[in-house]
Amino acid sequence: MPRMSGIEMLAALRDTACNAPVIFMTAAGSEHLAAKAFRLGVYDYLVKPFDGDTIEEAINRALFKTRLAREKDELEHILVVADTVRQTVTTLAHHINNQLKVINGGLTLMQENTVRPGGLSTYKPTKTILHDCLNSADRIQAVLRVMQKVTKVELTVYHEETKMLDIEDALRKE
């Protein structure tokens, strides 16, 4: 090549952040040149003379490795998305379950208050129970609104192992 060597061209190509598979072909091969070429990320190194089958095999290997790398990246992305969905579901289930327990407990107390005459003195007043139930229903709605803004929520650890979306601060702001 008139202006630069093959290694210089390969280095310039890598400086452009091009990650296309490169098969390095040379008429003057050496171990030193091969080592430089592989350090610069070539998929294969061919020394002239070579036949069509050798070139075809080198191209097939490069394409296969490229396909594998792309599939690996796609699978890693899918895993990240799946983990985010798992964290979202875990968080949502946790927060809604807590509020539903408050509602359920309040309704049970109200039922007991209405079944036992004179029971009002030993239980929370019905007005307070209704207020707690309505507050829990409002919190469930707030959790759902916050979950819609999930990209702005950070992760927290729950029970020292389960990662969840930290929505408590967002709920306070809501």
Side-chain angles (χ1 to χ4, degrees):
M1 295 188 330
R3 293 194 176 137
M4 63 175 72
S5 71
I7 288 292
E8 291 169 337
M9 178 159 154
L10 182 59
L13 182 66
R14 293 304 179 220
D15 287 343
T16 66
C18 174
N19 59 359
V22 174
I23 299 170
F24 196 87
M25 297 181 234
T26 182
S30 70
E31 285 182 30
H32 179 71
L33 184 60
K36 274 186 172 181
F38 281 109
R39 268 189 247 120
L40 289 169
V42 298
Y43 277 83
D44 216 333
Y45 179 87
L46 303 177
V47 179
K48 294 177 185 175
F50 42 79
D51 59 18
D53 289 340
T54 304
I55 294 172
E56 186 178 350
E57 289 172 16
I59 291 170
N60 286 336
R61 280 191 303 270
L63 291 175
F64 180 74
K65 286 181 182 180
T66 302
R67 251 183 264 124
L68 282 180
R70 188 178 323 115
E71 288 174 11
K72 177 185 169 268
D73 290 344
E74 288 171 5
L75 288 173
E76 286 174 347
H77 176 74
I78 289 169
L79 284 174
V80 167
V81 168
D83 192 50
T84 301
V85 169
R86 183 193 59 75
Q87 291 169 4
T88 302
V89 169
T90 300
T91 302
L92 186 59
H94 169 74
H95 285 278
I96 289 178
N97 188 50
N98 286 348
Q99 300 310 315
L100 290 173
K101 283 183 179 185
V102 170
I103 292 171
N104 187 40
L107 293 174
T108 301
L109 284 175
M110 285 179 60
Q111 183 183 26
E112 289 174 1
N113 283 345
T114 58
V115 172
R116 294 187 189 155
L120 293 176
S121 63
T122 58
Y123 295 106
K124 284 182 174 180
T126 303
K127 185 176 180 180
T128 304
I129 294 170
L130 283 173
H131 178 267
D132 290 348
C133 290
L134 289 172
N135 187 35
S136 287
D138 289 343
R139 291 219 10 117
I140 289 171
Q141 289 177 338
V143 166
L144 294 173
R145 282 192 303 273
V146 168
M147 295 306 289
Q148 291 173 344
K149 303 172 190 172
V150 73
T151 55
K152 297 180 181 176
V153 180
E154 295 183 19
L155 294 177
T156 188
V157 177
Y158 177 68
H159 286 300
E160 298 182 17
E161 60 189 47
T162 305
K163 288 184 180 176
M164 292 188 355
L165 301 167
D166 186 6
I167 64 172
E168 284 301 323
D169 185 49
L171 284 172
R172 282 189 288 280
K173 292 175 185 173
E174 184 71 30

